[in-house]
Amino acid sequence: MLRLSFGGSEDSTHNHVMATIYYDKDCDLGLIRARKVAVIGYGSQGHAHALNLRDSGVDVVVGLRQESASRAAAEEAGLRVLAPDEASAWANVIMMLVPDQVMGGIYAESVQSNLEPGDTLAFAHGFNVHFGEIAPPEEINVIMVAPKGPGHLLRRTYEEGSGIPCLLAVYQDPSGTGRALGLSYASAIGGGRAGILETTFKEETETDLFGEQVILCGGVSELIKASFETLVEAGYQPESAYFETLHELKLIVDLLYEGGLSWMRYSISDTAEYGDYTRGNRIITDETRKAMKEVLEEIQSGAFANEWLAQAREGAPVLHEQRAANRAHQIEDVGEELRKLMPFLDPKTAP
Ligand code: NAD
Ligand code: MG
């Protein structure tokens, strides 16, 4: 059982020390309001951080290249936009929200020389610091505030008055204010409404990569495709297969989200529950668990990070090939047609 040294209370059933979760009452919004924050990048996370900070009364600018396609959107939203180096020089908190595979280059080119002692460099994912692509000087504070959800939901939930849980980590803290400032930042983007959990750059980076590879993105996508193909190859209508293997997944995930595995199983039929216990472990086998361990080891050793950074330097050929091939999958065409007929949906198509 993983034991973290961040304090907390005993959970008697599993003999696990429950970690402390921080909420708005534990955060002093005044700290981040007293700073000047540069958000570098205006993509999924960047737009949500910048807008939520602004609406929480924080002095924020967005750092974007002159030719950036996001510039117009940021300016239309009423945000001040500067070049990344100007934004870094102006700010004393710099949040890096550009794609991980280009972040090291942007840091070296525009941020590094504009850091001053007492400044705080912030991240929403530990990748570059943990794998050594960015090595900030000792006199700079380095923290992470990582929302556990996509940017558009970070913005939407903030506007609705709720929030997305955030992970907080302090990597180096010469000023001694890292945790308090991180809590303040997390609260300003709405994280204090849902809960802020303290972690380390190592734990966040490795668990985040593991999650997206093994279950959230890689594992789920492959289960969807394989189960869809199995049904279609057996002669069932692709539309039935789509409803069963993709559409209905949301209904099950909603139950899991609301009340865990037991609530999902309470809500489904006894037949479904019996099939779950007796068939699920024939799909996720010892071989699958072994593969999960191997995937984790590649993350921990840095082999995955090296592979991906090398790919990115060559223009990410595998990513582009796979993106095109996966978009051409039958389930995508069937799904697109069916979603048009669901008036309650606001159907989305990837650009
Ligand atoms: P993104 O791809 O959505 O957006 C990146 C933005 O960076 C672009 O919109 C653009 O404004 C800018 N940009 C892109 N290429 C650039 C370049 N070459 N030079 C300068 N600026 C450039 O990125 P994202 O998904 O928001 O990820 C940002 C950070 O947040 C990453 O560290 C990521 O791991 C982390 N994160 C993302 C999510 C998520 O749901 N997307 C969740 C948690 C953490
Ligand atoms: Mg992630």
Side-chain angles (χ1 to χ4, degrees), residues 114-162:
N114 291 301
L115 292 173
E116 289 175 79
D119 282 0
T120 296
L121 188 62
F123 297 86
H125 180 32
F127 190 97
N128 278 275
V129 170
H130 178 64
F131 292 117
E133 289 296 295
I134 294 179
E138 275 173 19
E139 63 277 13
I140 301 303
N141 303 291
V142 180
I143 65 172
M144 172 170 44
V145 178
K148 286 283 88 182
H152 72 278
L153 287 182
L154 183 65
R155 179 58 183 160
R156 191 202 297 166
T157 52
Y158 178 91
E159 288 183 297
E160 289 167 357
S162 67

Side-chain angles (χ1 to χ4, degrees), residues 56-263:
S56 292
V58 178
D59 194 7
V60 58
V61 308
V62 176
L64 287 174
R65 297 161 298 166
Q66 195 56 48
E67 68 276 18
S68 168
S70 314
R71 225 167 216 274
E75 281 167 356
E76 263 164 46
L79 291 160
R80 193 146 70 97
V81 181
L82 296 173
D85 56 336
E86 292 165 353
S88 306
W90 169 83
N92 44 35
V93 176
I94 298 132
M95 172 54 97
M96 301 294 292
L97 295 176
V98 294
D100 295 306
Q101 70 275 19
V102 296
M103 192 182 287
I106 292 168
Y107 170 82
E109 196 180 312
S110 308
V111 178
Q112 191 169 21
S113 63
N114 291 301
L115 292 173
E116 289 175 79
D119 282 0
T120 296
L121 188 62
F123 297 86
H125 180 32
F127 190 97
N128 278 275
V129 170
H130 178 64
F131 292 117
E133 289 296 295
I134 294 179
E138 275 173 19
E139 63 277 13
I140 301 303
N141 303 291
V142 180
I143 65 172
M144 172 170 44
V145 178
K148 286 283 88 182
H152 72 278
L153 287 182
L154 183 65
R155 179 58 183 160
R156 191 202 297 166
T157 52
Y158 178 91
E159 288 183 297
E160 289 167 357
S162 67
I164 291 208
C166 286
L167 297 179
L168 165 68
V170 178
Y171 186 77
Q172 59 187 42
D173 195 21
S175 299
T177 52
R179 179 187 283 175
L181 186 66
L183 286 173
S184 183
Y185 186 106
S187 174
I189 61 171
R193 299 162 178 174
I196 304 160
L197 172 68
E198 194 166 358
T199 181
T200 61
F201 272 62
K202 174 180 160 62
E203 182 177 74
E204 184 277 336
T205 303
E206 292 175 356
T207 56
D208 189 72
L209 293 172
F210 180 81
E212 63 205 22
Q213 292 175 19
V214 167
I215 168 148
L216 304 173
C217 310
V220 163
S221 301
E222 286 302 315
L223 271 178
I224 290 171
K225 284 191 293 177
S227 54
F228 176 86
E229 286 164 13
T230 303
L231 288 175
V232 172
E233 279 163 24
Y236 298 97
Q237 300 178 82
E239 292 80 2
S240 304
Y242 174 84
F243 284 139
E244 198 56 45
T245 63
L246 192 150
H247 182 82
E248 202 174 332
L249 190 58
K250 181 199 171 0
L251 312 177
I252 294 297
V253 169
D254 284 348
L255 295 169
L256 293 170
Y257 181 83
E258 289 161 7
L261 291 164
S262 300
W263 174 247

